Amino acid sequence: MTWRRARFLALLVIAGTIGILAAQSAGAASRIKDIAQLQAARDNQLIGYGLVVGLQGTGDSLRNSPFTEQSLRAMLQNLGISTEGGASRANNIAAVIVTANLPPFATVGSRMDVSVSSLGDATSLRGGTLVMTSLSGADGQVYAVAQGSVIVSGVTAEGDAATLQQGVTTAGRLPGGATIEREIPASFKQLGGLIFQLRNPDFSTAVGIADVINSYATNRYGQAIAEARDSTTIAVRKPDTADLARLMAELEALVVETDSPARVVVNERTGTIVIGNDVRVSQVAVSHGTLTVKVNETPTVVQPAPFSDGVTAIEPLTDITAGVDGGQVAIISGPDLRTLVAGLNSIGVKPDGIIAILQGIKSAGALQAELVLQ
């Protein structure tokens, strides 16, 4: 068995398994909290500029990163240390950009994770410590302060003749490294209702959520309270006798049958193909062949005639052959996902060939789904 056939059989088994799992998970029920989020509860992005110190000679070269030296001088002056008239030669310091997401309803004194990324020409942040850095929001206000040891997952080893690098060493994280100093004004209790936003917009799912909420509210409060405004938002009115936080806890645990549009996602760079369960293909005939061109160079040595003034020379000889692999015609129809996957695999082509076939089926108007190219 050749490696190509072994690879094809492996792809056939994987695709068949995916088809079975997708068929079993069709119409799977999900909780509202897993498919939607509360509009009033969203993260806010924070950013800051800071310095990482304590590096073992892997920091910024201050000659190539003048902003690092300026920041170092400013920090030392704020600590009461004069740096006038002296040139810093330190290479164990690096300028970094610090980013974080401020979670909703965060209170003063709680902690959150932050990420740091090198801004200069530092080679590694491993072993460094982030000096106190203020984190600001889009409004320019400081909402948190970060400080602590940087955790770097990447590793770099370098010798005289070889270098080994795994992962990224110029970026790291500080778990719980920031303390929240300012709260975002929030009046959750004063809201007159709730607005859910679907993570994957779909009219059928939005209407289904509204129906499930209304069914529950009719039994619980004696009235319908939900309305699907569009494919993304579902508005829920708070009953007069309900507590908003308790109402949110009750509604987010309700189970809804989700729906999604038929879609085929293709990534031509990696050869990844994702086929949705509702994808259908009208009956078409497909033939796929790959043109292979081989160029063989077999130069020959030419000897001069005896007693002549000629010299030995090399005469080039090129042999070019072309052939087409495959080319068989297969009839493909996809009333369900497993049949479609089996039909594509029956042609015996690689993932890049299946991508080309799917694009051709879409152009022929036989693919009853949206084709997304990445």
Side-chain angles (χ1 to χ4, degrees):
M1 180 183 296
T2 64
W3 68 271
R4 289 186 177 179
R5 178 158 183 82
R7 182 179 180 183
F8 164 69
L9 292 177
L11 290 174
L12 179 61
V13 172
I14 294 174
T17 304
I18 293 175
I20 295 174
L21 294 177
Q24 293 177 347
S25 62
S30 303
R31 297 177 301 175
I32 293 179
K33 68 190 306 180
D34 299 327
I35 61 177
Q37 61 184 3
L38 190 62
Q39 188 182 61
R42 67 178 184 88
D43 294 343
N44 290 273
Q45 295 177 338
L46 304 179
I47 189 172
Y49 171 83
L51 295 175
V52 172
V53 300
L55 304 176
Q56 297 180 340
T58 59
D60 294 339
S61 56
L62 302 185
R63 178 176 298 179
N64 297 329
S65 303
F67 50 85
T68 305
E69 183 175 5
Q70 295 174 6
S71 303
L72 175 60
R73 292 181 181 275
M75 182 185 68
L76 294 178
Q77 289 177 0
N78 290 335
L79 296 176
I81 301 175
S82 176
T83 59
E84 296 294 335
S88 177
R89 300 291 183 183
N91 60 353
N92 61 349
I93 185 172
V96 294
I97 290 293
V98 185
T99 58
N101 288 329
L102 182 64
F105 312 121
T107 58
V108 174
S110 58
R111 305 188 71 86
M112 62 181 180
D113 300 343
V114 297
S115 300
V116 296
S117 302
S118 176
L119 193 61
D121 58 353
T123 58
S124 177
L125 299 180
R126 177 175 292 274
T129 300
L130 177 67
V131 181
M132 183 182 297
T133 303
S134 59
L135 301 178
S136 305
D139 56 357
Q141 300 292 329
V142 176
Y143 288 92
V145 175
Q147 181 173 276
S149 300
V150 180
I151 297 178
V152 179
S153 59
V155 176
T156 300
E158 184 175 355
D160 294 336
T163 301
L164 173 65
Q165 180 173 348
Q166 182 177 1
V168 179
T169 59
T170 54
R173 290 183 59 83
L174 281 75
T179 303
I180 298 175
E181 301 293 342
R182 183 195 298 267
E183 297 180 6
I184 294 181
S187 56
F188 179 75
K189 285 289 188 177
Q190 284 70 38
L191 296 176
L194 305 172
I195 297 180
F196 290 101
Q197 292 179 326
L198 287 178
R199 295 186 174 92
N200 296 315
D202 183 80
F203 278 103
S204 299
T205 304
V207 172
I209 291 177
D211 292 343
V212 170
I213 294 177
N214 286 331
S215 177
Y216 172 81
T218 301
N219 296 330
R220 179 77 164 82
Y221 302 104
Q223 57 180 324
I225 60 175
E227 176 189 6
R229 292 181 175 177
D230 49 44
S231 63
T232 303
T233 58
I234 302 95
V236 179
R237 178 176 52 84
K238 184 180 81 67
D240 297 335
T241 59
D243 178 76
L244 197 60
R246 183 174 296 275
L247 176 65
M248 178 64 188
E250 294 172 352
L251 297 184
E252 68 179 4
L254 297 178
V255 178
V256 180
E257 291 288 339
T258 59
D259 196 3
S260 60
R263 185 172 295 160
V264 178
V265 181
V266 172
N267 191 320
E268 294 185 296
R269 294 173 298 176
T270 61
T272 303
I273 306 171
V274 179
I275 304 176
N277 182 72
D278 295 326
V279 174
R280 301 291 182 265
V281 175
S282 303
Q283 193 172 35
V284 290
V286 177
S287 175
H288 181 78
T290 303
L291 177 63
T292 303
V293 179
K294 296 182 180 179
V295 180
N296 295 325
E297 296 285 353
T298 55
T300 58
V301 178
V302 179
Q303 298 289 349
F307 307 106
S308 67
D309 295 333
V311 296
T312 302
I314 297 178
E315 181 179 354
L317 178 61
T318 303
D319 183 20
I320 301 177
T321 59
V324 178
D325 298 332
Q328 63 269 32
V329 179
I331 298 177
I332 296 178
S333 62
D336 54 62
L337 180 59
R338 281 187 291 178
T339 305
L340 173 60
V341 173
L344 290 174
N345 283 316
S346 66
I347 305 178
V349 294
K350 297 180 180 179
D352 55 350
I354 295 179
I355 292 175
I357 291 173
L358 289 173
Q359 292 175 343
I361 295 176
K362 179 64 176 179
S363 300
L367 180 63
Q368 313 306 328
E370 177 187 2
L371 182 61
V372 180
L373 301 179
Q374 296 181 343

